[in-house]
Amino acid sequence: MKEFGLSIWANNNYLVENGILRLHYKSNPSLLDITQNIRATGVRGPILLRFPHLIKKQIRSLYNNFNNAIRENNYKGNFNAVFPLKVNQFPHAVNAVVHEGKDYNYGLEAGSKAELVLAMSKTPHKAHITVNGFKDKEMITLGFIAAQCGHKITLTIEGLNELKTIIAVAQTSSLKVPRIGIRVRLHSVGSGTWAKSGGMDAKFGLTSTEIIEAVKILQNASLIKNLSMIHFHIGSQMEDIAPIKKALREAGNIYAELRKMGATSLENINIGGGLAVEYDQHSHSKSRNYSIKEFSSSVVFLLGEIMDAKNVKHPNIFTESGRFIVASHAVLITPVLELFSQDYKENLLHLKEKNPPLIDELIDLNKSLNDVNAIEYMHDALDHMESLFTLFDLGYINLQDRSNAEILVHNIIKKALYLKSATPTNELEQLQVKLQERYLINASIFQSLPDYWGLKQHFPIMPLHHLSKTPHRAASLWDITCDSDGEIRFNPEKPLYLHDVNLDKNDYFLGFFNVGAYQETLGMNHNLFTKPSEYTIDIDEDSYTISNKNESKSLIHILDSIGYNGKNILIQLEKELLDSNFITEKEKTDTLIDLKLFLQQNGYLRTTD
């Protein structure tokens, strides 16, 4: 577990060198060094690091794999892709996507009015815009305006009423009519948590009957020439490639039939998103059973086979996979504030001149435990512990005796676990679960990892340093919210082991990886913890630069953002302080300075230097 499954989830983006986690790119900077440089400016709490080069790597991989498959299969269509803004609408993520994708004419997908305006402002004219989701006349008119401005925009209709509104706007406006797409409701369903995006009960898409009717409506309105795309989507984070292939056959045949029905301008199939990202750190529970190469080859081969069999023009292929593009580019880093088992340090023992006999026996076991007798002495310690608890309940030993017993037994078990870590038994593994360490992290799971809280979506977790040592502590992570759900519990089926670190002497930073998709947009201000401070890290051959600093909101700004007047709150608190009769004037002045300072800091804890 020293490398925490890097070979499974990291896609060669990181490497471990001398116990330190580094970016595997150009100058190979360490995440610890980046973190310490940011913290040296006074920033506390969690930080979110963005690495634009990882976005470019994913875009390049997507296009290269599809273009290679097109060449290898003698496919006659082209490949295009757009990034769905719903995955991450935040400025530095979107700006990185647009900048890193410009050489590929990588476009954007919008699902709301605000996202459409954003797409219109950010998408280069050579790239495509697709618009999905339910639309009213205003949103459709925005699409007409985008077309008038020169954008390659496709409005995907989700129902016949939307199509009728498009026709009405076309008939009453002199604006350029955008391209039109039809979302088809497939019988095929996907796999995994989001499989309900497909199937006949899916939220979106036209049935076969509605598709035929849509073609007739377009022909009657003389707009059939604008029908350029069919679109389908069977789910996000598709784990299994078999349902994808089934959906492609169904959608490919629908495309071919529509061409034969006279939709001769129809030349694009949009297969939606869904490319899975590997989140797991354990080889027995991987998140997907295919590679990007297999995915692209399957799509190209199957569509080509269908079109050749029906003597139909090969369609251009569109994808809208956002998770695949941005998940890896963001890393959440948080310090560990406390290890709760350190309450059992031996220096906290307060032994008496005369201890109960069982306590004396525990002292001897603790001193003389070694590799040979570790299991036997651990069994003796556990037996003594049960007896001492019974004696306490009966009033024969006091609370100090009980505390001493807990400390001694905990340390005996801990030493036995370390000594036998190379040859673990089922019993030892069960003890690990019972004696798991609780690591208090300076972050909010609700804000930064909402998919873990809501869906139990696991994310790769590992320390940034101490990686030359084997971690032995079964770890649960507690966040700083006052909510019992703010915990990543130790899971014996997907165990996380961390290091036993003396936080009085050493920092301990954890990284949470592949958090660049959905986590920011879905994060909630539970307990009024807001977004972490974020930074963009650009890496060159010699070093790196830190830019786009966006520090977490101050307490005043947090209150302002939910409708309170932060200025008035400060005035009220200042008045109450100055009116107080319990402190001197100097104390009032000094306290007021502290109050104003606290209100200008973010809401995360500042207990680490």
Side-chain angles (χ1 to χ4, degrees), residues 35 55 103 118 121 128 135 203 250 400 402 443 486 595:
T35 299
I55 291 178
D103 292 340
L118 181 58
S121 70
H128 290 266
K135 309 166 198 67
K203 180 179 177 181
E250 189 177 352
Q400 185 61 63
R402 174 173 170 151
L595 175 63

PDB file of all heavy atoms in Angstrom, residues 35 55 103 118 121 128 135 203 250 400 402 443 486 595:
ATOM      1  N   THR A  35       2.292  22.795  -1.882  1.00  0.00           N
ATOM      2  CA  THR A  35       1.414  23.047  -0.738  1.00  0.00           C
ATOM      3  C   THR A  35       2.100  23.944   0.292  1.00  0.00           C
ATOM      4  O   THR A  35       1.501  24.909   0.802  1.00  0.00           O
ATOM      5  CB  THR A  35       1.009  21.715  -0.086  1.00  0.00           C
ATOM      6  OG1 THR A  35       0.308  20.921  -1.046  1.00  0.00           O
ATOM      7  CG2 THR A  35       0.147  21.933   1.132  1.00  0.00           C
ATOM      8  N   ILE A  55      -5.621  18.355 -18.197  1.00  0.00           N
ATOM      9  CA  ILE A  55      -6.764  18.536 -19.092  1.00  0.00           C
ATOM     10  C   ILE A  55      -6.318  18.334 -20.538  1.00  0.00           C
ATOM     11  O   ILE A  55      -6.979  17.633 -21.318  1.00  0.00           O
ATOM     12  CB  ILE A  55      -7.392  19.931 -18.904  1.00  0.00           C
ATOM     13  CG1 ILE A  55      -8.063  20.025 -17.532  1.00  0.00           C
ATOM     14  CG2 ILE A  55      -8.398  20.241 -20.020  1.00  0.00           C
ATOM     15  CD1 ILE A  55      -8.662  21.378 -17.221  1.00  0.00           C
ATOM     16  N   ASP A 103      -6.477  23.788 -29.979  1.00  0.00           N
ATOM     17  CA  ASP A 103      -5.840  23.181 -31.146  1.00  0.00           C
ATOM     18  C   ASP A 103      -6.682  22.055 -31.744  1.00  0.00           C
ATOM     19  O   ASP A 103      -6.423  21.612 -32.865  1.00  0.00           O
ATOM     20  CB  ASP A 103      -4.456  22.627 -30.769  1.00  0.00           C
ATOM     21  CG  ASP A 103      -3.465  23.729 -30.431  1.00  0.00           C
ATOM     22  OD1 ASP A 103      -3.701  24.886 -30.846  1.00  0.00           O
ATOM     23  OD2 ASP A 103      -2.466  23.445 -29.742  1.00  0.00           O
ATOM     24  N   LEU A 118     -22.623  31.380 -21.296  1.00  0.00           N
ATOM     25  CA  LEU A 118     -21.207  31.117 -21.039  1.00  0.00           C
ATOM     26  C   LEU A 118     -20.556  30.452 -22.250  1.00  0.00           C
ATOM     27  O   LEU A 118     -19.445  30.833 -22.663  1.00  0.00           O
ATOM     28  CB  LEU A 118     -21.075  30.223 -19.798  1.00  0.00           C
ATOM     29  CG  LEU A 118     -19.661  29.858 -19.345  1.00  0.00           C
ATOM     30  CD1 LEU A 118     -18.839  31.103 -19.056  1.00  0.00           C
ATOM     31  CD2 LEU A 118     -19.722  28.970 -18.107  1.00  0.00           C
ATOM     32  N   SER A 121     -19.895  32.867 -25.001  1.00  0.00           N
ATOM     33  CA  SER A 121     -18.792  33.802 -24.735  1.00  0.00           C
ATOM     34  C   SER A 121     -17.428  33.141 -24.786  1.00  0.00           C
ATOM     35  O   SER A 121     -16.413  33.811 -24.963  1.00  0.00           O
ATOM     36  CB  SER A 121     -18.987  34.461 -23.367  1.00  0.00           C
ATOM     37  OG  SER A 121     -18.792  33.531 -22.314  1.00  0.00           O
ATOM     38  N   HIS A 128     -17.638  23.596 -31.827  1.00  0.00           N
ATOM     39  CA  HIS A 128     -19.084  23.394 -31.798  1.00  0.00           C
ATOM     40  C   HIS A 128     -19.668  23.724 -30.426  1.00  0.00           C
ATOM     41  O   HIS A 128     -19.006  23.588 -29.399  1.00  0.00           O
ATOM     42  CB  HIS A 128     -19.427  21.933 -32.138  1.00  0.00           C
ATOM     43  CG  HIS A 128     -19.159  21.578 -33.562  1.00  0.00           C
ATOM     44  ND1 HIS A 128     -20.132  21.643 -34.536  1.00  0.00           N
ATOM     45  CD2 HIS A 128     -18.024  21.139 -34.179  1.00  0.00           C
ATOM     46  CE1 HIS A 128     -19.610  21.264 -35.701  1.00  0.00           C
ATOM     47  NE2 HIS A 128     -18.340  20.949 -35.507  1.00  0.00           N
ATOM     48  N   LYS A 135     -35.995  23.451 -22.832  1.00  0.00           N
ATOM     49  CA  LYS A 135     -35.790  24.815 -23.307  1.00  0.00           C
ATOM     50  C   LYS A 135     -37.123  25.536 -23.460  1.00  0.00           C
ATOM     51  O   LYS A 135     -38.119  24.930 -23.858  1.00  0.00           O
ATOM     52  CB  LYS A 135     -35.066  24.808 -24.660  1.00  0.00           C
ATOM     53  CG  LYS A 135     -33.814  23.970 -24.703  1.00  0.00           C
ATOM     54  CD  LYS A 135     -33.351  23.737 -26.130  1.00  0.00           C
ATOM     55  CE  LYS A 135     -32.396  22.569 -26.211  1.00  0.00           C
ATOM     56  NZ  LYS A 135     -33.051  21.269 -25.894  1.00  0.00           N
ATOM     57  N   LYS A 203     -35.587  10.162 -18.619  1.00  0.00           N
ATOM     58  CA  LYS A 203     -36.148  11.510 -18.517  1.00  0.00           C
ATOM     59  C   LYS A 203     -36.197  12.207 -19.866  1.00  0.00           C
ATOM     60  O   LYS A 203     -37.112  12.978 -20.153  1.00  0.00           O
ATOM     61  CB  LYS A 203     -35.309  12.314 -17.520  1.00  0.00           C
ATOM     62  CG  LYS A 203     -35.753  13.743 -17.290  1.00  0.00           C
ATOM     63  CD  LYS A 203     -34.844  14.409 -16.252  1.00  0.00           C
ATOM     64  CE  LYS A 203     -35.209  15.872 -16.036  1.00  0.00           C
ATOM     65  NZ  LYS A 203     -34.307  16.514 -15.055  1.00  0.00           N
ATOM     66  N   GLU A 250     -28.344   0.405 -31.773  1.00  0.00           N
ATOM     67  CA  GLU A 250     -29.700   0.951 -31.839  1.00  0.00           C
ATOM     68  C   GLU A 250     -29.683   2.357 -32.438  1.00  0.00           C
ATOM     69  O   GLU A 250     -30.455   2.674 -33.362  1.00  0.00           O
ATOM     70  CB  GLU A 250     -30.295   0.976 -30.429  1.00  0.00           C
ATOM     71  CG  GLU A 250     -31.774   1.326 -30.400  1.00  0.00           C
ATOM     72  CD  GLU A 250     -32.343   1.269 -28.995  1.00  0.00           C
ATOM     73  OE1 GLU A 250     -31.636   0.809 -28.063  1.00  0.00           O
ATOM     74  OE2 GLU A 250     -33.501   1.693 -28.826  1.00  0.00           O
ATOM     75  N   GLN A 400      -8.760   6.411  36.951  1.00  0.00           N
ATOM     76  CA  GLN A 400      -7.355   6.475  36.560  1.00  0.00           C
ATOM     77  C   GLN A 400      -6.823   5.087  36.210  1.00  0.00           C
ATOM     78  O   GLN A 400      -6.083   4.918  35.240  1.00  0.00           O
ATOM     79  CB  GLN A 400      -6.512   7.088  37.678  1.00  0.00           C
ATOM     80  CG  GLN A 400      -5.053   7.292  37.299  1.00  0.00           C
ATOM     81  CD  GLN A 400      -4.886   8.231  36.127  1.00  0.00           C
ATOM     82  OE1 GLN A 400      -5.234   9.410  36.209  1.00  0.00           O
ATOM     83  NE2 GLN A 400      -4.350   7.735  35.013  1.00  0.00           N
ATOM     84  N   ARG A 402      -8.628   2.656  35.031  1.00  0.00           N
ATOM     85  CA  ARG A 402      -9.219   2.320  33.724  1.00  0.00           C
ATOM     86  C   ARG A 402      -8.469   3.020  32.600  1.00  0.00           C
ATOM     87  O   ARG A 402      -8.177   2.422  31.558  1.00  0.00           O
ATOM     88  CB  ARG A 402     -10.697   2.718  33.700  1.00  0.00           C
ATOM     89  CG  ARG A 402     -11.323   2.541  32.331  1.00  0.00           C
ATOM     90  CD  ARG A 402     -12.806   2.763  32.345  1.00  0.00           C
ATOM     91  NE  ARG A 402     -13.328   2.811  30.980  1.00  0.00           N
ATOM     92  CZ  ARG A 402     -14.551   2.456  30.647  1.00  0.00           C
ATOM     93  NH1 ARG A 402     -15.407   2.027  31.570  1.00  0.00           N
ATOM     94  NH2 ARG A 402     -14.960   2.527  29.398  1.00  0.00           N
ATOM     95  N   ALA A 443     -11.262  20.074   6.429  1.00  0.00           N
ATOM     96  CA  ALA A 443     -12.057  20.175   5.208  1.00  0.00           C
ATOM     97  C   ALA A 443     -13.484  19.783   5.529  1.00  0.00           C
ATOM     98  O   ALA A 443     -13.774  19.263   6.610  1.00  0.00           O
ATOM     99  CB  ALA A 443     -11.485  19.264   4.117  1.00  0.00           C
ATOM    100  N   GLY A 486     -20.103  13.481   8.160  1.00  0.00           N
ATOM    101  CA  GLY A 486     -18.860  14.052   7.641  1.00  0.00           C
ATOM    102  C   GLY A 486     -17.675  13.161   7.942  1.00  0.00           C
ATOM    103  O   GLY A 486     -16.715  13.560   8.617  1.00  0.00           O
ATOM    104  N   LEU A 595     -11.232  40.614  16.434  1.00  0.00           N
ATOM    105  CA  LEU A 595     -12.529  40.310  15.836  1.00  0.00           C
ATOM    106  C   LEU A 595     -12.535  40.627  14.349  1.00  0.00           C
ATOM    107  O   LEU A 595     -12.981  39.811  13.525  1.00  0.00           O
ATOM    108  CB  LEU A 595     -13.628  41.097  16.550  1.00  0.00           C
ATOM    109  CG  LEU A 595     -15.037  40.984  15.954  1.00  0.00           C
ATOM    110  CD1 LEU A 595     -15.534  39.542  16.039  1.00  0.00           C
ATOM    111  CD2 LEU A 595     -15.999  41.938  16.658  1.00  0.00           C
TER     112      LEU A 595
END
